[in-house]
Amino acid sequence: MAHVDRMFQHRGAVTGLRAQGDALWFTTRHAEGHATALYRLDLDKVEQKAYPLPCGGLDLDPDGDDLLVTAENGQIYRLRAGEAALAPIGPALSPAGTALAVLSKGRLGVLRGALLSIVSAADGAVLQDLELPEAGTAIVADPTGHWIAVGTAGGKLCAFDDEDKERFLGGEAVKAHEGAVTTLCFEPGELRVLSAGVDNKLLSTHLRGRLEPEDRGGGAAHDGPVRGIAIGAEEHSDRRFYTAGDDGVLKAWPLGAGRKRPTTTKDWIAKSVGLIVVKYKARPALALALLDGSIRILLMD
């Protein structure tokens, strides 16, 4: 992998990272509670633009061409494609949503402490409150928006779905990790979720039916908590998924079942708080959000 460095300024630590084509979007949170922004990096033109927030942004997720952001003040904001400012959706939530995922039928899944709230993306109305066994720390929805996986502060993995139903219902919850779940990611093509936690484990769990986490990392797992998981570009014949975190290395894992060993990269890598696959000048690349506040783009060979 080659790397590209460009200098931009942003306020606070990166809290969320998403991609839309060759645009990289991220939110930040300031340690002293100062106002931040939703930031957009145009990787083709190498330009940055900020959309101000009155407080810290906690997470974001694309909704078609729009962006949705949850913030420290409990408000959910929408940035419509082509518009110059974020607009609040409905009343502020209390407690505030710490993470969100776009779901089917114009809904959002929002983590609010020990609640998973199903919220209307149109007017911010809370449609459902689903109880979690403990505070939620990570959320992900499958590409259809009908399945949700939630990780908790105590290491539990919880499944929810609305297949053939009008509302989301909770399925099984299983103790998957020793300590907080740090990140979740659906594997392509099936209802299987990759999860990582502060116990340094990397697990794979099929959500339909009984939850039975499988050890995906084995002896090749990271030496610190994984903070981000990203699925590689579809055009690659040898498609992989990538992990990065506190140990300052990047691992590339073959997709599929079993304990297939990864390749490990240490050059140009540092402690990471998240990663995402993005396009850089029409080429697939990895964007790593680093603990020092920088974002590094790695071109994928």
Side-chain angles (χ1 to χ4, degrees):
M1 291 184 179
H3 75 283
V4 178
D5 287 331
R6 296 289 187 272
M7 299 302 295
F8 299 99
Q9 291 185 336
H10 61 80
R11 171 178 282 181
V14 176
T15 54
L17 190 68
R18 294 292 186 272
Q20 282 184 325
D22 56 6
L24 185 66
W25 297 85
F26 62 98
T27 50
T28 65
R29 182 182 190 182
H30 195 278
E32 297 178 1
H34 295 310
T36 61
L38 168 67
Y39 295 93
R40 181 184 189 274
L41 277 175
D42 186 319
L43 299 180
D44 186 40
K45 298 178 181 178
V46 197
E47 297 176 348
Q48 178 176 283
K49 186 173 183 179
Y51 300 84
L53 285 165
C55 56
L58 301 179
D59 196 18
L60 74 161
D61 205 24
D63 184 15
D65 293 330
D66 297 353
L67 266 294
L68 292 162
V69 176
T70 184
E72 287 182 299
N73 61 1
Q75 190 69 61
I76 297 174
Y77 296 89
R78 179 184 291 274
L79 178 67
R80 294 193 179 277
E83 295 192 356
L86 292 151
I89 298 174
L93 300 176
S94 182
T98 55
L100 61 78
V102 172
L103 308 176
S104 63
K105 302 177 183 177
R107 297 169 294 176
L108 310 174
V110 184
L111 290 187
R112 303 168 57 215
L115 288 177
L116 166 61
S117 293
I118 308 301
V119 176
S120 168
D123 60 14
V126 176
L127 307 176
Q128 285 182 262
D129 276 331
L130 299 164
E131 292 188 2
L132 301 172
E134 54 210 2
T137 55
I139 182 173
V140 68
D142 83 314
T144 72
H146 290 292
W147 284 83
I148 310 169
V150 172
T152 72
K156 292 183 178 178
L157 181 65
C158 312
F160 302 86
D161 79 278
D162 73 340
E163 277 193 341
D164 303 319
K165 299 180 285 287
E166 291 298 320
R167 294 161 64 86
F168 279 93
L169 295 178
E172 189 177 355
V174 65
K175 175 76 170 179
H177 293 271
E178 297 298 328
V181 176
T182 53
T183 187
L184 298 166
C185 181
F186 270 94
E187 296 186 45
E190 56 181 318
L191 287 172
R192 186 173 290 277
V193 170
L194 294 162
S195 65
V198 295
D199 57 2
N200 303 354
K201 289 182 179 179
L202 177 64
L203 305 178
S204 177
T205 307
H206 202 287
L207 292 193
R208 195 183 297 277
R210 184 178 180 184
L211 301 185
E212 297 180 338
E214 301 172 7
D215 185 1
R216 188 63 175 79
H222 285 262
D223 292 328
V226 170
R227 303 295 178 179
I229 304 172
I231 305 297
E234 292 184 11
E235 57 262 44
H236 283 182
S237 58
D238 182 20
R239 197 176 184 191
R240 294 171 175 257
F241 71 90
Y242 299 85
T243 55
D246 288 9
D247 59 356
V249 302
L250 174 71
K251 290 181 180 286
W253 306 76
L255 283 167
R259 293 186 182 181
K260 300 176 182 179
R261 296 187 67 84
T263 58
T264 300
T265 301
K266 298 181 180 180
D267 295 339
W268 314 306
I269 311 298
K271 290 186 176 182
S272 304
V273 297
L275 78 161
I276 196 81
V277 173
V278 68
K279 290 286 187 181
Y280 178 78
K281 298 188 181 298
R283 291 180 57 188
L286 279 174
L288 275 77
L290 305 182
L291 187 62
D292 64 5
S294 63
I295 295 176
R296 175 148 289 172
I297 307 299
L298 300 174
L299 301 180
M300 298 166 64
D301 298 329

